[in-house]
Amino acid sequence: MTEHTAEAWPEPPLAGTEAAAIVGALERQRATLAWKCSGLDASGLRATLGTSTITLGGLLKHLAHVEDSHFARLWLNTPVGPPWNTVDWETTPDWDYRSAAEDTPEQLRALWQESVTRSRALIEKALAEGGLDQPGAYTTRTGERPNLRRILLDLLEEYARHTGHADLIRETIDGLTGEDPPR
């Protein structure tokens, strides 16, 4: 997992293009999640808060799935690859959260990082080929196709919500707070 320092913390441009602002905000959310999950052993990644069953390890695995599924399904309209294609999602819709306890911290971090790397490559290629307005390959029942903007904003929203969970969980583990690493 990439460790970030305050000097190298990803920030969206203050006056950049719409694409740079959206991708920059997504990168900041990814960096925050990575930071909140860094330096923890298996016990730390399995810790819960109150009655919630959400763990930092579960968040890593869930967001790896979101990264892969958003771009496979909505952008490329292709089946999502392993390990997601081996899961019976009808029977176990929260498989990504629950199965994370069976994975090592190294496996969880690698799975998430590999998914992010694939997404970054797809985003870079898509932006170079046509920008935010180009539609993805997926078509809804009503004939609509999500554009790249919508896919990225949905991914950003997913991260923002779950980074809030990560903040609370990490604080209960070792008191780490804040949204940027210490300066």
Side-chain angles (χ1 to χ4, degrees):
M1 204 163 251
T2 304
E3 297 294 327
H4 292 284
T5 63
E7 295 78 33
W9 195 253
E11 282 292 327
L14 291 176
T17 66
E18 181 185 14
I22 293 170
V23 172
L26 177 58
E27 287 300 333
R28 181 174 51 196
Q29 292 297 317
R30 287 171 171 158
T32 302
L33 179 75
W35 178 50
K36 295 296 177 171
C37 295
S38 67
L40 295 174
D41 60 11
S43 177
L45 290 178
R46 291 181 186 130
T48 60
L49 175 62
T51 60
S52 174
T53 59
I54 295 174
T55 65
L56 292 173
L59 288 173
L60 281 172
K61 196 163 190 176
H62 171 70
L63 287 165
H65 177 235
V66 170
E67 292 268 3
D68 281 339
S69 66
H70 264 55
F71 287 103
R73 189 174 54 86
L74 299 173
W75 185 248
L76 302 171
N77 198 26
T78 61
V80 68
W84 323 116
N85 61 348
T86 63
V87 178
D88 179 355
W89 293 100
E90 296 283 323
T91 305
T92 54
D94 60 348
W95 176 85
D96 43 1
Y97 286 107
R98 291 186 1 192
S99 67
E102 301 164 14
D103 300 320
T104 67
E106 296 77 22
Q107 289 170 320
L108 290 167
R109 291 181 179 112
L111 180 69
W112 179 74
Q113 287 227 308
E114 291 162 5
S115 296
V116 168
T117 297
R118 282 188 293 276
S119 292
R120 283 182 179 137
L122 287 167
I123 293 166
E124 184 178 334
K125 183 178 182 205
L127 288 172
E129 292 178 352
L132 295 172
D133 289 327
Q134 63 183 311
Y138 175 77
T139 304
T140 67
R141 289 183 206 139
T142 60
E144 294 179 283
R145 293 168 59 191
N147 63 20
L148 183 60
R149 177 183 295 103
R150 172 62 189 264
I151 295 167
L152 289 173
L153 289 172
D154 283 355
L155 188 59
L156 178 58
E157 177 187 10
E158 188 80 6
Y159 267 95
R161 184 169 9 121
H162 291 312
T163 300
H165 296 129
D167 285 338
L168 294 171
I169 296 168
R170 182 62 189 250
E171 185 175 1
T172 66
I173 294 169
D174 61 7
L176 180 73
T177 62
E179 56 184 66
D180 292 337
R183 299 188 187 277

